Amino acid sequence: MASTAAVPKLKRGGRWSPWLFALPALLVYVGFLVYPAVSSLFFSLTNWDGLSATYDFVGLENYFKLPSDPVVVTAVKNNLIWTVVTIAVPTVVGLLLAIALNGKVHGKPILRLIFYTPAVLPLVSIASIWGWLYNPQYGAINSFLRLLGLDGLAQAWLGQDSTALWAVMVPAIWLRTGFPMLLYLAALQGIPNELYEAATVDGATRWQQFWHVTMPSLRPAHYIVLALSLIDSFKVFDMIYAMTYGGPGTSTQVMGTWMYFNVFQYYQAGYGTAIAVVITLVAIAVGIPYVRSQTREAS
Amino acid sequence: MTGSSFTRRGFLGLTSAAAVGVGLSACTGGGTAPAGSGGNTGAASNNLRVFTYEGDETIGLFKAQLKKFDQQAGTTTTVESLPGSGAAVYPDKLRTQLLGGKGPDVWRIWGGQIGAPFVKAKQALDLSPYYDKYGWADRINQQAIDGMTFEGTKAGIPMMLLGLGAWYNKSLFAKAGITATPTTYAELEAANDKLLAVGVTPVGLAGKYGWNIMRLFEYLLEHTAGPELHDKLLAGDESWDRPEVVEAFTLFKKWQDKKWIANGALGMDPADVEPGYVQGNYGYTIIGPWTESVAILSAKKNPAGFGNFELPTDQQPARHSGFVEGYMINAKSGNPDKAAELLDFLSKPETQKALQNTASSVKGAEPDPKALPLSAEWAQKYGSHPFYTIQDQAFPKKEADQYFSVQSDLLQGKLAPDAAAKKMQEVISAWAKS
């Protein structure tokens, strides 16, 4: 009875009912996301220093300055390296760990916990821990290398341009491997055993089973892992900031940190927000194929 | 959604229109910064808020003095502290608070180019009337006041005048056979060799953030250029592309190549390295008197085991690096008079002593030799010496970072000393043009 009464009520509410339901969320969305985003877009067209009460409109000048800024060039290059490495390595390692843990392994719960723990640690703590590990004089990494007689491999890991970015990527990989592992493990457990049994009956080798049964079945998990990793990679800031502060010099600057330096430290909020706008546009452009594929799959 | 003209496309379209509308409304601001810019601490009241960077060692003393002031003045003063970040982060948070409309009434800040943006943006109050009212100029060291005067505007009251020198570990110096502290640059180099010969890295400096290892370079520049030229270089009145600067960069590289600074120092954190001379990891470091309470006393070490000396420049007058710290009042404070009264209270000699200020700029508040023997010794020996402005305060942050970048490239062998000097001149020229 209640449901039959509800239908005409909904019709009486007409086209505005959904809007009324959506309104609270919409207000929050506009107030806290759309408005700041559009404000940022506007300030990227000014020379605001981020502190004064006034500013001048400079049009696209801040955007035209970007290509001639040598640090932007370094930052873009670093972002690309960071994105490729910190997506590829944790995804592959996470998948391999998931496959290993999906089999008959002793102490499986403890191993899962060990591999996933880095993902829940605060980033700044991780940065501090790894900063000590990398200490060129007293750090565990160089001490270990010297213990093995590999003194030549002991480096000033964070203190030279050639190794600093790679040194920051190692803890980033370490902390990001647990997440894909967990997703893949859940997905692996959802693959029906009958598929493997049928493949075995058909004479498929383990390798063929992996490529023709496991990998296709993991496709939804691949999408999620890649999309979330991509977002994570684009917003890289904290690890770089905490471990190297963009240095030595500007060698480990990424777009996120360079935006921060300009807005908050150099009193060039207009220029810094132009960098932020570019980062956002690139992230949207990269995210579109994923959203489209998801939409297509859902429909 | 059936039975309704409502569609996803329509919904998204209207949402976008709303967003554009909001955006356009933002664009009609026409040259005025977002709400809250400039800070606004509200209507006049007896509530004051102070933002500072006191560490655990001193925040208790500071709060006790604020309580005393509140009892006298009938105010309620709250304090927020962001310790340990140094000048790298604290000004950002202060700026964010001011922009958010919840700026403090009073904030602690460094002088020079770190405090300057707040004055330029008219966030800090001109304190000249209060200087007259309370007679601060008679009470406070003039050199310190100069450090808090920005293009003629006395926008801050300095409470600390900090000089940087070498703070050393006596037992390590003895182990190396160094019987007297160096009085010439050649003796300092000889001391470095002796320390290294007994397996001790002579000087503990770190390159993360740039400002710590810079202390060595600025000293070398004072040594090679001398006071007059050094000051002109900092002001951009002389070209950096000159032999004295090249020589300073050459010596800087020499300190690394001879392993007088730690291998890999560029990637190390000052917070890990600065107390190293107390822990016995380095012979000495370049630091100010705060190290006595922060590194020596907090580690429960006997100050008698340590000493300090001015880094020998072989120049006349003998100078060391120095900087000032003090307080500013928010130009939008709801109660600037009470805020000024607070600063007057804090700048009284008895308050400064109660705060155990190791390098007070207030006359009559010299460090107590019983409580802080090394700080007292430094003040007595070198406190009256002139100083050159520490170089992360001499330049705006952007130029300072470029300066650090040149030093980093030089130490990594990516720039030769003469190229580093040329590069620095480019940085200074661009700054002058801007």
Side-chain angles (χ1 to χ4, degrees):
Chain A
M1 289 301 281
S3 61
T4 51
V7 172
K9 222 175 186 181
L10 181 66
K11 281 183 178 169
R12 274 201 304 275
R15 68 173 71 169
W16 299 110
S17 292
W19 286 100
L20 287 174
F21 283 116
L23 192 63
L26 205 61
L27 285 175
V28 171
Y29 178 75
V30 169
F32 291 97
L33 209 100
V34 177
Y35 175 68
V38 177
S39 292
S40 295
L41 182 62
F42 173 71
F43 281 111
S44 75
L45 305 173
T46 72
N47 67 351
W48 188 40
D49 65 3
L51 194 57
S52 300
T54 56
Y55 50 80
D56 296 319
F57 186 77
V58 297
L60 294 172
E61 191 182 303
N62 290 324
Y63 291 92
F64 291 140
K65 267 163 58 181
L66 286 171
S68 58
D69 181 347
V71 184
V72 166
V73 176
T74 304
V76 168
K77 195 183 82 186
N78 287 343
N79 263 112
L80 288 173
I81 294 170
W82 183 277
T83 302
V84 171
V85 175
T86 63
I87 289 179
V89 179
T91 303
V92 172
V93 176
L95 178 60
L96 293 176
L97 285 174
I99 290 168
L101 290 176
N102 197 40
K104 287 172 187 165
V105 181
H106 288 296
K108 214 187 280 186
I110 292 173
L111 287 172
R112 280 180 203 164
L113 185 71
I114 289 171
F115 291 130
Y116 190 67
T117 298
V120 297
L121 291 174
L123 277 172
V124 176
S125 308
I126 290 175
S128 297
I129 292 165
W130 279 85
W132 295 327
L133 291 175
Y134 280 131
N135 185 299
Q137 286 188 296
Y138 311 106
I141 293 171
N142 278 357
S143 300
F144 183 66
L145 289 169
R146 290 187 189 112
L147 196 71
L148 295 177
L150 301 170
D151 296 45
L153 292 181
Q155 302 283 323
W157 300 102
L158 297 173
Q160 51 193 11
D161 294 4
S162 54
T163 54
L165 185 69
W166 299 96
V168 182
M169 278 195 281
V170 171
I173 290 167
W174 176 70
L175 77 93
R176 287 172 59 161
T177 298
F179 183 67
M181 179 202 76
L182 218 60
L183 283 177
Y184 281 130
L185 199 54
L188 284 170
Q189 286 167 355
I191 302 174
N193 232 354
E194 290 79 7
L195 292 177
Y196 292 104
E197 286 167 6
T200 308
V201 170
D202 288 345
T205 62
R206 296 287 293 255
W207 185 244
Q208 286 169 326
Q209 285 181 24
F210 175 75
W211 277 113
H212 300 292
V213 177
T214 308
M215 286 301 271
S217 304
L218 289 178
R219 196 155 55 160
H222 291 321
Y223 276 132
I224 297 169
V225 168
L226 285 176
L228 296 179
S229 302
L230 208 58
I231 292 164
D232 245 12
S233 296
F234 267 101
K235 65 177 193 182
V236 54
F237 172 84
D238 28 28
M239 288 293 284
I240 299 278
Y241 181 82
M243 286 187 74
T244 65
Y245 199 64
T250 52
S251 64
T252 56
Q253 287 285 1
V254 289
M255 290 293 270
T257 52
W258 193 231
M259 177 268 290
Y260 167 80
F261 272 75
N262 276 281
V263 173
F264 290 95
Q265 304 227 319
Y266 300 161
Y267 301 99
Q268 296 181 332
Y271 184 62
T273 46
I275 296 172
V277 169
V278 170
I279 297 171
T280 309
L281 291 177
V282 172
I284 290 171
V286 172
I288 283 172
Y290 166 74
V291 175
R292 287 188 64 181
S293 69
Q294 289 296 90
T295 314
R296 217 176 292 136
E297 211 155 86
S299 62
Chain B
M1 301 302 162
T2 53
S4 164
S5 59
F6 175 76
T7 63
R8 184 163 57 178
R9 181 171 293 180
F11 185 84
L12 288 171
L14 278 167
T15 312
S16 306
V20 171
V22 172
L24 287 174
S25 69
C27 295
T28 54
T32 307
S37 175
N40 186 351
T41 57
S45 74
N46 277 345
N47 293 334
L48 291 174
R49 195 163 73 83
V50 180
F51 187 39
T52 182
Y53 41 88
E54 300 279 351
D56 291 343
E57 313 82 20
T58 53
I59 190 71
L61 297 171
F62 189 64
K63 283 180 177 171
Q65 289 307 307
L66 292 182
K67 196 173 170 186
K68 195 174 169 187
F69 170 75
D70 283 344
Q71 284 165 356
Q72 287 176 15
T75 49
T76 304
T77 307
T78 53
V79 61
E80 184 191 349
S81 192
L82 180 70
S85 66
V89 178
Y90 174 83
D92 303 353
K93 185 160 183 192
L94 172 60
R95 198 191 73 133
T96 308
Q97 288 193 6
L98 291 169
L99 286 175
K102 294 284 182 190
D105 296 277
V106 171
W107 63 80
R108 185 169 163 181
I109 194 76
W110 293 265
Q113 293 293 337
I114 299 176
F118 297 93
V119 184
K120 192 179 166 195
K122 302 191 189 315
Q123 303 276 15
L125 194 68
D126 180 358
L127 301 183
S128 301
Y130 298 115
Y131 266 85
D132 295 339
K133 181 180 175 183
Y134 293 111
W136 288 341
D138 299 330
R139 193 191 304 169
I140 297 171
N141 179 299
Q142 185 55 45
Q143 202 175 1
I145 292 173
D146 292 344
M148 276 278 177
T149 303
F150 306 88
E151 294 181 0
T153 304
K154 287 191 179 75
I157 173 171
M159 302 265 180
M160 299 184 102
L161 179 61
L162 295 135
L164 269 62
W167 286 65
Y168 68 99
N169 183 313
K170 284 184 179 171
S171 63
L172 293 180
F173 269 46
K175 184 181 169 187
I178 304 165
T179 51
T181 55
T183 53
T184 65
Y185 179 75
E187 285 178 16
L188 182 65
E189 285 201 344
N192 287 342
D193 281 332
K194 285 179 182 173
L195 285 162
L196 202 59
V198 294
V200 175
T201 302
V203 59
L205 290 168
K208 188 178 174 186
Y209 309 119
W211 53 259
N212 188 251
I213 207 161
M214 168 212 73
R215 292 174 182 172
L216 173 61
F217 180 74
E218 63 179 8
Y219 155 63
L220 295 171
L221 189 58
E222 174 75 3
H223 164 61
T224 59
E228 197 180 336
L229 177 59
H230 192 174
D231 287 347
K232 286 181 178 173
L233 289 168
L234 296 186
D237 295 337
E238 287 286 354
S239 170
W240 284 66
D241 186 10
R242 59 187 313 119
E244 295 87 345
V245 179
V246 174
E247 192 189 349
F249 276 121
T250 306
L251 288 176
F252 193 45
K253 186 79 166 60
K254 178 183 176 183
W255 277 61
Q256 177 182 264
D257 293 346
K258 297 267 279 182
K259 299 192 189 309
W260 293 340
I261 54 178
N263 182 31
L266 273 179
M268 288 155 75
D269 193 314
D272 297 333
V273 172
E274 276 190 340
Y277 79 100
V278 179
Q279 297 156 350
N281 298 330
Y282 305 101
Y284 62 99
T285 192
I286 303 173
I287 202 164
W290 65 87
T291 189
E292 183 167 17
S293 57
V294 171
I296 299 173
L297 297 177
S298 67
K300 309 263 185 265
K301 299 276 187 181
N302 185 351
F306 306 92
N308 55 53
F309 60 92
E310 191 176 59
L311 288 164
T313 61
D314 300 349
Q315 299 283 353
Q316 282 301 324
R319 303 196 306 175
H320 52 259
S321 174
F323 60 95
V324 297
E325 290 179 40
Y327 292 88
M328 290 179 175
I329 295 177
N330 192 335
K332 301 282 175 62
S333 169
N335 203 340
D337 289 343
K338 281 288 179 195
E341 196 180 330
L342 170 64
L343 295 187
D344 182 60
F345 172 80
L346 289 175
S347 65
K348 286 192 164 38
E350 54 271 27
T351 314
Q352 288 290 297
K353 282 183 178 174
L355 288 169
Q356 294 183 9
N357 189 343
T358 55
S360 179
S361 58
V362 176
K363 291 168 192 167
E366 288 75 22
D368 178 1
K370 284 179 190 159
L372 299 162
L374 297 175
S375 302
E377 185 187 342
W378 172 271
Q380 202 178 11
K381 281 188 186 169
Y382 313 112
S384 60
H385 286 197
F387 64 82
Y388 50 91
T389 307
I390 195 168
Q391 290 173 11
D392 56 350
Q393 290 190 18
F395 302 123
K397 179 79 169 99
K398 185 182 175 187
E399 283 70 24
D401 277 355
Q402 289 173 326
Y403 184 41
F404 303 154
S405 204
V406 169
Q407 291 170 20
S408 164
D409 285 348
L410 176 100
L411 291 181
Q412 290 187 71
K414 291 167 71 182
L415 276 181
D418 55 342
K422 282 188 174 63
K423 185 82 183 162
M424 260 317 287
Q425 180 50 32
E426 286 171 23
V427 170
I428 299 298
S429 296
W431 174 37
K433 279 179 198 162
S434 69

